[in-house]
Amino acid sequence: MTDRHGRIFVVTGIPGVGKTTVLDASLEAAKTSGMGEVVLTNYGTVMFEEAKSKGLVESRDQMRSLPADTQREIQRLAAKKIANTAKNKIVIVDTHMLIKTPEGFLPGIPIWVTEALRPDTIILVEASPEEIAGRRSKDAARNRDVESVEDIKLHQELCRAAALTSAEIAGATVKIIMNHDGKAEEAAAETVKLFKALKR
Ligand code: ATP
Ligand code: MG
């Protein structure tokens, strides 16, 4: 990888699998491990800030209903913004491999985002489709799509394919981390182990 920026880890997984939960716990653990400056960026939040400032949406969960072209444009702006923050730091990008839009699955890391971010590693946080369905229905803080267990399974399988495609472009490694019910701390410990292994 070039020296344009430090390490970039892309952390993905379908909505409600627990990316943000696992990352918050990982960052807490990483603080005491002498890993240097670790910056956590949520791609959706950066996109939401862009979309809100343009008056396109009022809540982040409205973004996936925007026309796919609009989502692509916002995605492009967010990639540039994140790549610019990454100089000499470890940047963790919490994002989605695929966004389920009314026009079909939209890649979260299309080629231009992959090229802008040039991730070193793509982490796929996974759980069983039943666990994910349960978490979505219990989490009142967000307005996630209701999907059948079959659809969740398909969504998760397609994310694996999308992760490998982005990894092929970036030459990134792909790691699957399981986040089973009640095991977020274990998933966080595995994530920190990976951050440490890949630290330059
Ligand atoms: P999104 O992509 O929509 O932002 P996410 O992958 O970041 O979703 P979280 O918000 O971290 O998902 O978690 C979704 C819900 O699942 C939350 O209510 C969280 O507390 C719960 N959760 C996460 N991990 C676990 C776990 N290992 N066991 C039980 N509940 C969990
Ligand atoms: Mg999240």
Side-chain angles (χ1 to χ4, degrees):
M1 292 279 110
T2 71
D3 56 6
R4 183 177 58 80
H5 55 55
R7 290 293 214 186
I8 292 200
F9 300 86
V10 169
V11 178
T12 72
I14 74 169
V17 72
K19 295 176 293 301
T20 303
T21 305
V22 170
L23 279 175
D24 286 347
S26 306
L27 269 274
E28 216 26 65
K31 260 188 208 163
T32 53
S33 70
M35 277 180 60
E37 191 175 357
V38 181
V39 180
L40 176 59
T41 310
N42 186 303
Y43 207 99
T45 303
V46 178
M47 280 184 65
F48 176 51
E49 284 162 4
E50 293 288 336
K52 202 175 169 204
S53 71
K54 292 181 187 306
L56 297 169
V57 292
E58 279 165 18
S59 84
R60 58 182 293 146
D61 288 307
Q62 286 173 343
M63 284 196 299
R64 54 184 184 276
S65 302
L66 287 171
D69 277 345
T70 312
Q71 294 190 52
R72 284 188 202 102
E73 188 48 38
I74 301 166
Q75 211 171 32
R76 223 182 270 277
L77 295 170
K80 277 193 200 152
K81 223 174 169 175
I82 294 169
N84 282 339
T85 63
K87 293 191 177 80
N88 308 319
K89 289 173 196 155
I90 295 173
V91 175
I92 297 152
V93 185
D94 176 347
T95 190
H96 296 114
M97 263 345 290
L98 294 171
I99 297 99
K100 201 169 188 180
T101 82
E103 296 170 55
F105 285 109
L106 178 76
I109 319 185
I111 189 162
W112 61 86
V113 175
T114 307
E115 284 172 348
L117 296 184
R118 278 186 257 142
D120 298 278
T121 294
I122 299 173
I123 296 174
L124 283 163
V125 180
E126 294 191 352
S128 76
E130 291 79 8
E131 286 172 320
I132 296 168
R135 287 173 203 171
R136 284 183 184 175
S137 67
K138 277 187 228 143
D139 187 2
R142 295 285 301 276
N143 184 21
R144 295 188 181 91
D145 293 342
V146 178
E147 279 187 296
S148 67
V149 165
E150 270 309 298
D151 284 349
I152 289 175
K153 186 168 177 275
L154 175 67
H155 193 164
Q156 199 161 238
E157 281 168 4
L158 293 177
C159 284
R160 284 188 177 188
L164 286 166
T165 305
S166 295
E168 294 278 0
I169 296 165
T173 56
V174 174
K175 174 87 175 173
I176 295 176
I177 291 186
M178 295 308 297
N179 177 32
H180 286 303
D181 275 347
K183 305 271 184 199
E185 290 297 330
E186 281 86 336
E190 209 185 327
T191 306
V192 173
K193 216 161 104 187
L194 188 62
F195 291 163
K196 283 187 184 161
L198 290 160
K199 185 173 171 279
R200 263 201 278 257

